[in-house]
Structure formats: C-alpha cells, structure tokens
Amino acid sequence: KASIFEAELLYTMSIKSLPAKLCAALALTRVASEDTYWIHDNEVPDEVANSIQKLASLWRKNLLKNDDAELGIGLEGLDVRKMPGSKRSKETGDLSDSRKALYKFLELITPRFESASDYARVKFNWRPPQPRGNKAGSSQKKRRSDGSKRNEQSNLPHIF
C-alpha cells in the first residue's frame, strides 16, 4: 500500500489544473486516512512518514496558498462573507464556508496520520503559513516619536 500511495501522490503532484489537483489531493488524503494501518505495517517507515509529509506540503505550499476561485471551491461570483447571517470569528477571519469545511476536514484527519506509526515520526503539517504581521499576539517593533523602537502586541485576528 505504501508504494501505491507514493505513486498516487506523485501523480497528484503532477496535475496542472488547481481544481483537479485539489480533488485528487482530497481523495488521496481521505482514502489514506481511512485505514492507517499501512503507515504502521511496512518495511520502510521513514519513507512512508516522508510521503505523508509530502502530502501535507502539497496542501500547505501548493493548494491552500491559492484563493477559493483558483481552487474552484465555493459559489462562483458570490462572496459568502457578505451574506446575511454569515458568521465571522477570530479563528476563521474572512475564510469562506467552503475553505472552513476543508480546513476542518484536514484538522480532523491530522491525528489519524500523526498517531499511525510506532516506528517513525509522522508529521502532517497542512496549515498554510499566515501572512506576516497577521498573527494575534505577535510582537512587532514600532518606532516611538523619539526614534527608538518598542514592542507592541498585534491585535489582528489569526486563523488557528
């Protein structure tokens, strides 16, 4: 199963169309997380852990850095954030409902991957990096009127 997963992952990574790549990655992630015994029971635990990390990297660096329209998720031409009854929170900020659902799915399957092997450290770090300066509580240097620097806590919302 490990070699099948690696082959499917390589194929998914080669897909040019972002919506098609998203669908393939979502399918591969779901199937791979359903029964994770193959991650534990194999002859190459470090290679399997590396493949799982590649999948997470595909999500983080290739897919989730794109906006919803590029990924083909959500309703075309409709900004759900501006609809009546649409809820915003500090955790999710301006994320669309489609992206929130995708993040929730990835969040729920992360422990399945990370606890699957006793022989290798499996890390499934799918979360995209936050833009600089948007982390709540991040320390930023600001200039005082006399030109010296001081630290201030940012009050900007963060995703997680």
Side-chain angles (χ1 to χ4, degrees), residues 27-93:
L28 182 60
T29 303
R30 185 182 180 295
V31 168
S33 68
E34 277 299 303
D35 175 15
T36 58
Y37 191 73
W38 64 275
I39 297 171
H40 171 79
D41 186 23
N42 65 74
E43 300 297 321
V44 287
D46 291 329
E47 289 178 27
V48 170
N50 187 44
S51 293
I52 299 295
Q53 290 169 345
K54 283 181 192 175
L55 177 61
S57 181
L58 174 67
W59 282 109
R60 184 179 67 253
K61 294 179 179 178
N62 191 281
L63 293 169
L64 297 177
K65 71 176 188 172
N66 296 289
D67 66 29
D68 291 1
E70 292 171 311
L71 292 173
I73 60 175
L75 299 172
E76 189 174 326
L78 179 65
D79 188 350
V80 294
R81 297 167 293 188
K82 296 179 182 175
M83 291 179 66
S86 179
K87 294 182 179 169
R88 241 180 110 198
S89 69
K90 284 185 179 181
E91 292 80 30
T92 57

Side-chain angles (χ1 to χ4, degrees), residues 142-151:
K142 299 218 175 179
R143 295 229 179 247
R144 294 181 180 178
S145 58
D146 66 0
S148 64
K149 291 183 180 178
R150 64 184 169 112
N151 286 330

Side-chain angles (χ1 to χ4, degrees), residues 84-146:
S86 179
K87 294 182 179 169
R88 241 180 110 198
S89 69
K90 284 185 179 181
E91 292 80 30
T92 57
D94 285 332
L95 296 179
S96 71
D97 290 343
S98 297
R99 190 169 289 255
K100 287 179 198 175
L102 180 57
Y103 281 18
K104 190 62 165 175
F105 166 75
L106 292 169
E107 189 176 284
L108 289 172
I109 58 100
T110 296
R112 292 183 192 175
F113 284 129
E114 292 185 347
S115 65
S117 178
D118 293 333
Y119 304 110
R121 183 173 179 266
V122 179
K123 185 74 176 142
F124 191 68
N125 181 17
W126 60 268
R127 289 176 179 84
Q130 295 177 342
R132 292 192 179 267
N134 284 348
K135 291 183 182 178
S138 67
S139 180
Q140 295 178 346
K141 303 245 179 194
K142 299 218 175 179
R143 295 229 179 247
R144 294 181 180 178
S145 58
D146 66 0

